[in-house]
Amino acid sequence: MDFLKPRYTPMNRRRRIYEGKAKVLYEGPEPGTLIQHFKDDATAFNAKKHEVIDGKGVLNNRISEFLFQHLNDIGVPTHFIRRLNMREQLIREVEIIPLEVVVRNVAAGSLATRLGLEEGTQLPRSIIEFYYKNDALNDPMVSEEHITAFGWATPQEIDDIMALAIRVNDFLSGLFLGVGIRLVDFKMETGRLWEGDLMRIVVADEISPDSCRLWDIKSADKLDKDRFRKDLGGLIEAYTEVAKRLGIMSENEKVQTGGPRLVQ
Ligand code: UDP
């Protein structure tokens, strides 16, 4: 009597478009949309270090939603449409430009190492750097020359990307300063959004403590992924602190873990 047995129906029938280190992209409900799912995986040093940190995806989904919604509200175009649930958001499908755009205000990380600067030194002005998105090559730093010569973006697109990066940096720096956090640096990604024959460059991917360096202004405590990279512990507490300061989570709230899970 086979028909009496409970039948297992997988929850997740959506087509998986792409799986990255910390996120999965699924086909969206309408053409031109995708669903971006935030996993709990933390990776560093080109995935040589890996851990699953319960609740990280939920926090990044909320923090990234907050930042992208504000960017949309001030007229900085992004791929973000709306958050769907604890771990997922609806986004516009874009053609990702294969560059990591890093904006720096304060010396830290690879810049401090490369140029022998003391971590925490205020830079003379904000600096924009480009890295070619390629795991096999360890995301090498590239210049505008490489970008145009290899056709990853046109000179006009580079101008648009830099203008976007400066607007995002100014907005985020002010927003975080208002809640006692120093935006040391961050990484953003951009994509081409096609609307009929028209194309514009928009901010894509995520902006979260995974992709920013955020230091408490008073104590200089790290409230970002460096807690994982440097084995400092307390990553969830740090991300929760960011969410609370931004007013996303209430003072006594704890991040709910669980929620929609990936069905492997
Ligand atoms: N970053 C990122 N993804 C990367 C590399 C860097 O989100 O693959 C972010 C990082 O969190 C920091 C900024 O970009 O906020 C600058 O990182 P840096 O070049 O100093 O590299 P790292 O020290 O992280 O290797």
Side-chain angles (χ1 to χ4, degrees):
M1 300 267 264
D2 238 13
F3 68 93
L4 284 179
K5 282 194 192 146
R7 207 181 307 161
Y8 171 68
T9 317
M11 297 274 292
N12 217 324
R13 287 190 176 285
R14 293 171 305 192
R15 196 155 70 90
R16 197 180 297 217
I17 307 282
Y18 172 82
E19 175 144 13
K21 285 172 277 203
K23 292 190 295 291
V24 187
L25 292 179
Y26 294 99
E27 194 171 58
E30 287 157 40
T33 64
L34 296 175
I35 292 168
Q36 178 164 260
H37 179 112
F38 288 75
K39 299 192 284 185
D40 282 337
D41 298 58
T43 62
F45 313 116
N46 201 9
K48 285 195 269 292
K49 184 176 162 91
H50 175 245
E51 236 173 81
V52 174
I53 304 179
D54 212 19
K56 182 176 80 77
V58 176
L59 282 158
N60 281 348
N61 186 26
R62 294 288 298 274
I63 294 170
S64 199
E65 170 202 15
F66 180 87
L67 300 176
F68 273 81
Q69 187 56 58
H70 276 77
L71 288 170
N72 284 345
D73 291 345
I74 61 162
V76 175
T78 81
H79 72 163
F80 179 79
I81 303 174
R82 66 173 181 277
R83 184 167 64 87
L84 296 172
N85 58 48
M86 278 166 67
R87 290 181 180 275
E88 293 174 329
Q89 44 185 246
L90 185 66
I91 59 170
R92 288 187 203 290
E93 185 171 22
V94 299
E95 192 182 299
I96 287 287
I97 295 174
L99 297 172
E100 299 203 332
V101 183
V102 169
V103 185
R104 303 179 180 273
N105 302 304
V106 176
S110 69
L111 179 76
T113 309
R114 195 176 342 116
L115 300 184
L117 300 169
E118 193 183 340
E119 278 230 333
T121 314
Q122 186 79 35
L123 298 173
R125 62 172 175 80
S126 303
I127 294 173
I128 302 177
E129 296 171 343
F130 298 105
Y131 295 82
Y132 177 46
K133 260 170 75 79
N134 185 316
D135 283 340
L137 298 175
N138 240 327
D139 297 346
M141 185 155 88
V142 291
S143 74
E144 295 182 42
E145 279 287 288
H146 304 101
I147 297 168
T148 50
F150 293 111
W152 299 323
T154 65
Q156 174 63 52
E157 287 175 333
I158 296 176
D159 284 352
D160 292 352
I161 293 169
M162 291 178 78
L164 273 181
I166 289 166
R167 288 188 74 191
V168 173
N169 183 50
D170 285 348
F171 172 71
L172 292 182
S173 294
L175 181 81
F176 282 119
L177 181 64
V179 297
I181 292 174
R182 195 174 184 201
L183 177 65
V184 170
D185 55 34
F186 69 96
K187 185 262 302 185
M188 63 173 226
E189 295 190 23
T190 55
R192 298 182 184 95
L193 178 64
W194 292 92
E195 285 163 332
D197 282 347
L198 285 180
M199 185 276 288
R200 56 187 178 136
I201 307 277
V202 304
V203 184
D205 193 52
E206 71 177 297
I207 303 178
S208 71
D210 264 11
S211 55
C212 300
R213 282 200 172 89
L214 303 169
W215 294 357
D216 180 75
I217 286 181
K218 284 207 194 107
S219 66
D221 278 353
K222 297 183 197 307
L223 303 173
D224 56 59
K225 205 168 112 177
D226 271 350
R227 301 213 72 87
F228 169 70
R229 293 192 191 97
K230 294 175 183 278
D231 290 319
L232 300 172
L235 179 133
I236 290 297
E237 292 76 5
Y239 286 29
T240 302
E241 178 65 23
V242 173
K244 285 185 177 166
R245 294 219 198 156
L246 292 173
I248 300 169
M249 281 170 72
S250 60
E251 208 36 60
N252 300 316
E253 204 180 335
K254 277 184 88 173
V255 66
Q256 276 183 286
T257 54
R261 289 266 162 202
L262 280 180
V263 179
Q264 294 299 335

